[in-house]
Amino acid sequence: MIRKLEIDQAYLRFILTRLIETPSPTGLTQAVTDLVRGQLDAMSIPYELTRRGAIRANLEGARHSPDRGIVAHLDTLGAMVKELKPNGRLGIVPIGHWSARFAEGTRVTVFCEDRPLIRGTILPLKASGHVYNEEIDTQPVAWDNLEIRLDERIDDQAGLIAAGIHVGDHVAIDPSLEFTPAGFVNSRHLDDKAGVAAVLAAARAVREQDVPLPIDCHLLFTISEEVGVGASHVLHGDVAELVAIDNGTIAPRQNTNEYGVTVVMQDMSGPFDWDLSRRLLRLCVEFDIVHSRDVFRYYRSDGASALEAGNDIRTGLICFALDSSHGYERSHMGSITAVAELIGLYIQSSPIVLPNLREIGSGRAYPD
């Protein structure tokens, strides 16, 4: 009998905070994978690491194969040092796809190989109105027009070299996390730390409430979604259904629910599986989860990379609400909770089973 699980709000907020405060731009994800592994250990959920360092955990069910997966990504947007400049500042390029407009003015940490972390600020090249007057408003928004001002006594390229800073060093963007009394959470990197928090909160509910599962459910935490690799390498061959957890965009002409869960019907990679998407929608209706449907035009998730890698799987996508995606983001704890509740219901549900043979118009039968 499927039942709606109680999501521990204190834990959800705790783990979301821990995730957000752990820097993890793509390519620098060891600390956040260690954090998630610690949570899985505390819940006695077995897991393994892929060669690349992604996490593949398992909630055991009555049947072991074929089974299903839930996937969320641990990596975030960030930047990388591109140039050691003559003025002692750093030229940068983005990690992942995000606008230079949202980088201006952010506090950052530069991760160097052979010295302690260095703090700094991303600034436009023309940053002072007292010097450049109206030119600060007319310079183009572009990564070539940004640089990092380091909080060190360095004013030339030789100083940067002596300080042990290299081209290729990672730059993590400060999240500026804030929870409000109205239930909103403002922060960078809610994409996809809020999704990871929902997965862990749902898994904790399954464990603590002793919920039996019909089939194994793999909890997959990828580390390179922001650069398009995502779930291409993390699946077991016996996964038949994969539901990705990611952000839903709040914007005009979008239908994402700001306070509930959104089931996505299609993104730029094409439609999601008909049967799996409708299964998720029926669960929302049956168990009174606030929800909506949406279609995204400029968006892809872990599900797309899994299919492109050649996996023969059904895919679906469920989202927490996110305003100003890939910028200074905002979600609502009610939306993240709704995602966790739907995950808990879905992994209790029976797998989708269709006949082995389908009749087509010609009267001939083909394997499903």
Side-chain angles (χ1 to χ4, degrees):
M1 177 67 113
I2 299 176
R3 57 190 174 93
K4 191 174 183 179
L5 304 182
E6 186 71 26
I7 302 301
D8 186 333
Q9 293 298 307
Y11 176 76
L12 182 61
R13 179 165 170 158
F14 161 79
I15 192 57
L16 177 57
T17 300
R18 289 288 308 279
L19 289 163
I20 289 289
E21 291 178 347
T22 305
S24 60
T26 307
L28 193 72
T29 54
Q30 182 66 55
V32 76
T33 56
D34 287 347
L35 171 61
V36 172
R37 290 169 61 194
Q39 295 301 304
L40 295 171
D41 286 335
M43 292 183 244
S44 299
I45 296 176
Y47 62 86
E48 57 185 322
L49 296 179
T50 68
R51 292 185 182 93
R52 290 173 57 91
I55 301 173
R56 184 190 295 128
N58 187 54
L59 290 171
E60 187 173 1
R63 193 184 79 190
H64 304 308
S65 180
D67 54 27
R68 56 171 50 120
I70 304 288
V71 61
H73 66 91
L74 294 168
D75 62 310
T76 69
L77 303 169
M80 181 172 282
V81 175
K82 173 66 170 64
E83 178 187 4
L84 307 184
K85 303 179 72 172
N87 64 355
R89 299 191 177 189
L90 304 176
I92 53 175
V93 294
I95 292 176
H97 302 284
W98 61 300
S99 172
R101 183 186 306 276
F102 287 112
E104 294 181 1
T106 59
R107 293 286 290 162
V108 302
T109 301
V110 180
F111 286 78
C112 306
E113 296 170 25
D114 303 316
R115 61 154 293 155
L117 307 178
I118 301 179
R119 296 286 290 162
T121 306
I122 297 178
L123 295 173
L125 300 184
K126 297 176 180 179
S128 174
H130 292 94
V131 175
Y132 300 105
N133 198 14
E134 294 181 357
E135 290 181 60
I136 65 171
D137 297 317
T138 59
Q139 62 186 319
V141 175
W143 286 92
D144 285 344
N145 286 334
L146 298 180
E147 62 186 6
I148 294 180
R149 178 190 66 198
L150 297 173
D151 297 331
E152 298 284 336
R153 300 184 67 167
I154 298 173
D155 54 17
D156 57 18
Q157 189 180 68
L160 292 171
I161 295 171
I165 301 168
H166 300 280
V167 169
D169 286 344
H170 271 68
V171 178
I173 312 302
D174 280 14
S176 301
L177 173 65
E178 180 184 349
F179 293 92
T180 76
F184 290 102
V185 52
N186 292 268
S187 181
R188 295 177 188 269
H189 315 316
L190 288 170
D191 172 17
D192 189 29
K193 300 292 182 70
V196 174
V199 174
L200 290 171
R204 191 169 188 265
V206 167
R207 272 290 195 253
E208 292 196 342
Q209 297 170 46
D210 196 24
V211 179
L213 304 182
I215 60 174
D216 284 2
C217 181
H218 302 292
L219 307 178
L220 309 172
F221 302 96
T222 63
I223 56 171
S224 50
E225 192 272 348
E226 293 294 0
V227 295
V229 178
S232 60
H233 63 285
V234 74
L235 296 181
H236 281 299
D238 56 355
V239 171
E241 302 173 13
L242 180 69
V243 173
I245 314 299
D246 218 315
N247 73 89
T249 53
I250 300 294
R253 300 182 63 197
Q254 293 300 141
N255 198 46
T256 291
N257 193 304
E258 190 160 12
Y259 308 107
V261 62
T262 299
V263 178
V264 182
M265 313 311 289
Q266 174 172 290
D267 68 5
M268 63 188 296
S269 63
F272 291 98
D273 182 78
W274 172 284
D275 298 288
L276 181 52
S277 297
R278 271 69 185 182
R279 163 72 62 81
L280 295 167
L281 288 166
R282 286 195 298 272
L283 289 170
C284 289
V285 172
E286 182 179 352
F287 291 92
D288 197 28
I289 294 178
V290 177
H291 69 284
S292 64
R293 308 179 185 202
D294 211 342
V295 172
F296 299 148
R297 293 174 295 170
Y298 311 113
Y299 184 111
R300 55 177 279 137
S301 70
D302 277 300
S305 56
L307 289 175
E308 291 165 0
N311 292 287
D312 183 18
I313 54 175
R314 299 177 182 274
T315 59
L317 172 63
I318 62 177
C319 293
F320 56 91
L322 198 71
D323 188 56
S324 184
S325 60
H326 284 201
Y328 188 55
E329 301 165 337
R330 188 184 80 169
S331 190
H332 194 273
M333 293 303 291
S335 179
I336 303 170
T337 300
V339 170
E341 290 174 341
L342 182 54
I343 293 170
L345 290 169
Y346 168 64
I347 63 179
Q348 294 178 71
S349 67
S350 299
I352 296 172
V353 178
L354 293 179
N356 290 328
L357 296 177
R358 271 186 187 167
E359 297 294 331
I360 64 172
S362 65
R364 296 158 58 194
Y366 283 86
D368 183 26

